[in-house]
Amino acid sequence: MTSVTDQWASFVVTKTESLASAYFRQYFYNLDLETGQSLTLRDVLGPNWAAQGAAAVEEQLSQWDQEQKALLFDNVDLEALLEEKEDFYLQEDGTVVVVFDKYEIAAGAAGVLEFPIGKLPQA
């Protein structure tokens, strides 16, 4: 889940603790190597990214089988959820992948969910 190009560096730091119960958290870092600034989804996909991202996620979810779809929470507003999203990474080819934590859009049995939602224009 990491990539480095002449333009950006994208990486994930994963923290796992196991005591009485397990704890798992990922921290996502996406840096513009020219400016040194952190990249946001708006930076990499443009002003309409949330609507486009929601449509991309919905398209992928529509291809799930009935058993997988049964894990999804009802009435999740993907566009509104994506507006607040900071958990994403960039693949080497410029594909932008958004990550939803367990219980964010589906039952915990679904685990952490990842969806490609677009590609950097210059990639």
Side-chain angles (χ1 to χ4, degrees), residues 44-81:
V44 296
L45 294 176
N48 297 323
W49 72 269
Q52 294 167 349
V57 171
E58 288 171 359
E59 169 63 27
Q60 292 168 70
L61 291 174
S62 73
Q63 297 173 19
W64 282 17
D65 63 33
Q66 286 307 108
E67 187 175 325
Q68 291 172 304
K69 287 179 181 177
L71 296 173
L72 294 170
F73 295 144
D74 293 332
N75 302 320
V76 173
D77 185 343
L78 286 171
E79 187 172 344
L81 188 58

Side-chain angles (χ1 to χ4, degrees), residues 23-48:
Y23 171 79
F24 175 84
R25 179 69 180 124
Q26 293 179 305
Y27 301 91
F28 296 82
Y29 299 93
N30 300 284
L31 306 171
D32 181 322
L33 295 179
E34 292 179 10
T35 66
Q37 299 295 311
S38 291
L39 295 169
T40 66
L41 285 165
R42 182 180 302 281
D43 293 335
V44 296
L45 294 176
N48 297 323

Side-chain angles (χ1 to χ4, degrees), residues 15-25 102-103:
K15 177 182 178 183
T16 304
E17 293 180 17
S18 295
L19 299 170
S21 63
Y23 171 79
F24 175 84
R25 179 69 180 124
K102 281 175 72 171
Y103 306 105

